[in-house]
Amino acid sequence: MEHERQFAELGDGIRLAYFDIGDGPAVLFLHGAGVGASSWSNFKGNCDAFVRRGYRVLMPDLPGFGYSSKPTDVPLSTEYYADCALEFLDRLSI
């Protein structure tokens, strides 16, 4: 399946790249923090199976990774990433 990358504007000028695939209850996939980590590189082999089972799969690239903004003026911490994930879900009305 071919999927199109989208972008969401978060506060503080952060541009979050993400994939939004399928319909149904939303499942949020969050990648790790290793070198080269991104939603697509981590989950491309899993997303279609969830979609076929009736889920809406959301796969953002967290700030500093993939095609998302690479901020240099914020602490890239677990708390920061959690706040970004919540804001992302709010932007999509989830």
Side-chain angles (χ1 to χ4, degrees), residues 17 32 36 41-42 52-55 68 73 78 82-84 86 90:
S41 68
N42 283 196
R52 283 192 301 273
R53 287 171 178 80
Y55 291 95
S68 290
D73 58 344
T78 303
D83 289 343
C84 288
L86 287 173
D90 285 346

Side-chain angles (χ1 to χ4, degrees), residues 1-85:
M1 272 185 164
E2 185 73 26
H3 304 297
E4 183 177 332
R5 183 177 287 108
Q6 300 178 56
F7 294 89
E9 301 296 328
L10 304 184
D12 297 330
I14 297 297
R15 188 170 193 231
L16 204 67
Y18 69 98
F19 291 93
D20 184 345
I21 306 165
D23 296 302
V27 177
L28 179 64
F29 289 11
L30 296 175
H31 61 77
V35 174
S38 72
S39 62
W40 190 251
S41 68
N42 283 196
F43 303 117
K44 64 185 172 196
N46 305 95
C47 66
D48 290 334
F50 278 79
V51 171
R52 283 192 301 273
R53 287 171 178 80
Y55 291 95
R56 177 183 180 188
V57 175
L58 302 169
M59 302 186 313
D61 288 342
L62 295 171
F65 296 94
Y67 289 85
S68 290
S69 296
K70 314 260 185 307
T72 58
D73 58 344
V74 295
L76 300 178
S77 65
T78 303
E79 293 80 13
Y80 176 74
Y81 292 134
D83 289 343
C84 288

